[in-house]
Each structure stands twice: as structure tokens, then as C-alpha cells.
Amino acid sequence: MTALDEYQRLEATGLWRPETGAQRREVVVALGNATLTIKDMQDRVLAHWSLAAITRATSAGHDPALYHPDGDPEETLELSNAEADAMIEALERILRAVDRRRPRPGKLRVWLSGSIAAVVIFLAVFWLPGALIAYATHIVPAVKRAEIGTALTERITRVTGQPCSAQEARQPLRRLAERVLGEGRRDALVVLPQGLTDTAHLPGGRILLSRSLIEDPEDPDVPAGFVLAEAVRAAQTDPLEDLLRHAGLGASLQLLTTGELPKGALDDYAESLLTGARAEPVAHDTLLAAFSRAELRSEPYAYWLDVTGESTLPLIEADPRRASGSRQVLTDADWVRLQSICGG
């Protein structure tokens, strides 16, 4: 099935480039229900693009049509009208549908301003900061959460230095994210050169990793375990709610009325992520269930947390993949390339 009812199957040929400077390759592009699958001529999958996160780089009517994943203009797909007119038409219909559902600039402010009267009445009657924060957390859309996450990342990297992004390690980092978090979150991982103990999560789904988790372990199961544990932690406590509770009532009110957070609140929270105490550990039973679903060993993660294994013994003894081992996280070549992401 495809994303469009009139097509049971839709494929076309095109030219795919994984990154800037790489040679373009002839590929077969298949339209799925939620993804665009890119395969080589031997039917081997090279990439999955989420249909909700595809951007056209050339204007409508321009031949050939050039597409890339949202936020990653280095990876491109070129489709010619002569060979892929049906695929181009289908993608354009999908892009228009996605665009219609996307919040417009300023729309959040208008919508939130219209809601402020009800919020003021609520506060006058109950005056519960916790309830106001919960309300603000609930109504902020995913696009705004991503903007806040980006703003926090910019502030954090002023202290830590720019994220590690060696050219040869970018694709392995995306593959690690896809393996642990799913194909829709290939760009969720950010490796910081200093200042972070292990991991942290931000509104919008971004997960920060210390370079030591990439460079020091001998097994990619270790960073994969930390990414998984941080994703579970983020699912248990909303990252935006954590930010608003740290920032206080005033920041929540400003977010509700203007759609923006005070710059000082973002600066303070960014600093707290780097200098604050390590986040509360996730319950062992919850973690073991997550490791089982991810087909990932928990023992390497447990020993990295505590080299003696005393405090993480349940994660070692009840490792769900002890007998069979993890489903492959990265190839040996990708793991070696990833470990040089900070140029080390």
C-alpha cells in the first residue's frame, strides 16, 4: 500500500546522493504508506525518508525535481519528469497535504492570545502554578517544541563547543539513531565535545550525548543503551514540562501569551542540564522491557554505569539478549567511523 489510495504500488528511478561530495547513484524509489524507500539496483535498501519530513529544493515545474530530508540538504534525491512523472506528482500531492497541516508563522501566537482570557479566569479561581504548567505543556505543538529544542541546543553549544560532526561519521550517527529510536528520528542525536556527563534530552525529541560515550567504549551496544535509556526517561517526564517547572510560572505565562519563552529562562535551563545533578535512573523493570523491545543487550550499558555491577545487577542478570546477543547496532566499519566523529 502507498500513502495515496489510487496507487497499490508506485516506483520510479532517480539519482540519490547520500551527502555532499559523494557521487550520485542510480536508485529505485518506492512510495510507501509513511516512508519513501530508496534502494539500489540490486534491491538493497539504502535509505528511508519519512513522507512527513521531505522538502523539495527546486521550484515546482523545474526539471529535474530535487528533494532532501527536512533539515538535511546534503542527502538529495533527483527525479526526472521523463522517468518519474507519476512519482513527482504523488510526492507533490503529499507535500501539499503536509504543508496544509503545518502550523503557519504567527498562528500559534494568535491562537494562544485568544486562549489567554480563559487562562486568566482559570488562574483567578485556582491559582495553581502546577496546573498552568501542565496546561501549557499540553497545548504547545510539536513544531514549537522542536524550535525550543533548537534554541536550547544553540545555548548549550556556546559552552560545550559546536557538536561533533566529522563528515565520515554523520551517516553512522544517523544509523545509530534509526536503529535505537526508529527511522523517523534519524537526526535526533547530537554529540557534544565536552561539558556533558553522559546524556540529556530536550523538547522536540533531541538527545544529547557526551563524546566519551562514543569514543571510549569498545562496543556500540554501550552508546545504544544510553540513547535508549534517555529516550525512556524522556517518555516518562515531558522535556517541555521539565523546562517550564525549572523556568517558573512567569515563563509559562509568556509562552501562553506570546508563543515564546524568555531568553533568560532558556539560558538558565541550558546551564542546569550541564551542571546539574545526573537525572534520576529509570526503574530496572522498565529499562529491561525497553531493551527487550529494542533487541539490545542491557549488560554493556549496566557495566558502563557501574564497573562493579553492584548497583546495576538486575540489568546484568536479567539481560533479555544475553543468550542471543543484540540485533546488530552498527557494522564494524560504521562503528569505527562513528568513533572519530569528534576528530579523535
Side-chain angles (χ1 to χ4, degrees), residues 30-98:
L31 182 67
N33 186 45
T35 62
L36 193 69
T37 301
I38 300 173
K39 301 179 287 186
D40 64 16
M41 306 311 289
Q42 285 74 45
D43 204 37
R44 293 174 297 199
V45 175
L46 300 174
H48 288 285
W49 290 7
S50 170
L51 292 177
I54 295 178
T55 298
R56 178 164 179 167
T58 56
S59 58
H62 187 276
D63 187 24
L66 189 65
Y67 300 91
H68 63 79
D70 189 19
D72 185 13
E74 293 188 359
E75 182 179 2
T76 61
L77 175 65
E78 184 178 306
L79 298 175
S80 169
N81 287 333
E83 300 176 354
D85 56 335
M87 178 65 74
I88 293 172
E89 180 184 354
L91 287 176
E92 292 305 309
R93 288 173 58 189
I94 293 170
L95 292 181
R96 287 194 295 270
V98 171

Side-chain angles (χ1 to χ4, degrees), residues 204-225:
R206 191 168 294 178
I207 292 178
L208 310 178
L209 292 86
S210 167
R211 68 183 294 179
S212 63
L213 291 179
I214 302 296
E215 294 179 340
D216 295 346
E218 297 182 358
D219 190 336
D221 283 17
V222 172

Side-chain angles (χ1 to χ4, degrees), residues 174-188:
R174 292 189 182 105
R175 293 187 185 107
L176 174 63
E178 182 176 357
R179 167 63 177 87
V180 180
L181 304 175
E183 64 182 29
R185 298 182 64 186
R186 294 178 71 234
D187 297 311

Side-chain angles (χ1 to χ4, degrees), residues 72-144:
D72 185 13
E74 293 188 359
E75 182 179 2
T76 61
L77 175 65
E78 184 178 306
L79 298 175
S80 169
N81 287 333
E83 300 176 354
D85 56 335
M87 178 65 74
I88 293 172
E89 180 184 354
L91 287 176
E92 292 305 309
R93 288 173 58 189
I94 293 170
L95 292 181
R96 287 194 295 270
V98 171
D99 186 63
R100 284 195 296 269
R101 298 175 184 174
R102 183 175 291 128
R104 304 299 179 189
K107 187 176 181 181
L108 176 64
R109 292 189 181 189
V110 173
W111 191 88
L112 291 176
S113 296
S115 303
I116 190 59
V119 174
V120 170
I121 294 173
F122 178 85
L123 291 175
V125 175
F126 299 101
W127 197 250
L128 293 176
L132 178 63
I133 289 172
Y135 175 73
T137 302
H138 176 71
I139 67 170
V140 173
V143 171
K144 190 64 186 178

Side-chain angles (χ1 to χ4, degrees), residues 80-312:
S80 169
N81 287 333
E83 300 176 354
D85 56 335
M87 178 65 74
I88 293 172
E89 180 184 354
L91 287 176
E92 292 305 309
R93 288 173 58 189
I94 293 170
L95 292 181
R96 287 194 295 270
V98 171
D99 186 63
R100 284 195 296 269
R101 298 175 184 174
R102 183 175 291 128
R104 304 299 179 189
K107 187 176 181 181
L108 176 64
R109 292 189 181 189
V110 173
W111 191 88
L112 291 176
S113 296
S115 303
I116 190 59
V119 174
V120 170
I121 294 173
F122 178 85
L123 291 175
V125 175
F126 299 101
W127 197 250
L128 293 176
L132 178 63
I133 289 172
Y135 175 73
T137 302
H138 176 71
I139 67 170
V140 173
V143 171
K144 190 64 186 178
R145 288 170 177 263
E147 289 179 10
I148 294 171
T150 299
L152 282 171
T153 302
E154 292 173 354
R155 283 161 170 79
I156 289 170
T157 54
R158 291 174 191 171
V159 177
T160 65
Q162 290 302 305
C164 298
S165 59
Q167 183 74 24
E168 67 276 8
R170 292 176 185 175
Q171 286 301 323
L173 184 64
R174 292 189 182 105
R175 293 187 185 107
L176 174 63
E178 182 176 357
R179 167 63 177 87
V180 180
L181 304 175
E183 64 182 29
R185 298 182 64 186
R186 294 178 71 234
D187 297 311
L189 300 184
V190 177
V191 180
L192 299 180
Q194 60 183 353
L196 188 66
T197 303
D198 41 50
T199 58
H201 59 269
L202 304 178
R206 191 168 294 178
I207 292 178
L208 310 178
L209 292 86
S210 167
R211 68 183 294 179
S212 63
L213 291 179
I214 302 296
E215 294 179 340
D216 295 346
E218 297 182 358
D219 190 336
D221 283 17
V222 172
F226 273 89
V227 171
L228 179 63
E230 194 64 34
V232 172
R233 188 177 292 111
Q236 291 182 332
T237 60
D238 191 307
L240 181 59
E241 184 175 353
D242 290 344
L243 166 57
L244 293 179
R245 291 193 182 281
H246 179 88
L249 180 62
S252 298
L253 283 171
Q254 183 167 329
L255 179 62
L256 285 169
T257 54
T258 69
E260 303 293 336
L261 281 168
K263 293 181 179 180
L266 293 173
D267 291 335
D268 289 345
Y269 188 67
E271 182 179 351
S272 74
L273 288 175
L274 297 176
T275 61
R278 179 175 289 185
E280 289 294 322
V282 180
H284 289 156
D285 289 347
T286 303
L287 264 184
L288 286 169
F291 274 93
S292 178
R293 289 191 299 269
E295 301 177 77
L296 190 66
R297 291 184 299 154
S298 59
E299 184 176 346
Y301 166 76
Y303 274 121
W304 199 263
L305 278 179
D306 181 355
V307 68
T308 69
E310 293 179 1
S311 64
T312 56

Side-chain angles (χ1 to χ4, degrees), residues 9-33:
R9 181 181 181 87
L10 181 59
E11 293 185 344
T13 58
L15 295 175
W16 174 72
R17 186 188 69 182
E19 57 191 19
T20 301
Q23 185 174 356
R24 295 181 302 170
R25 301 175 58 178
E26 185 175 12
V27 295
V28 175
V29 184
L31 182 67
N33 186 45

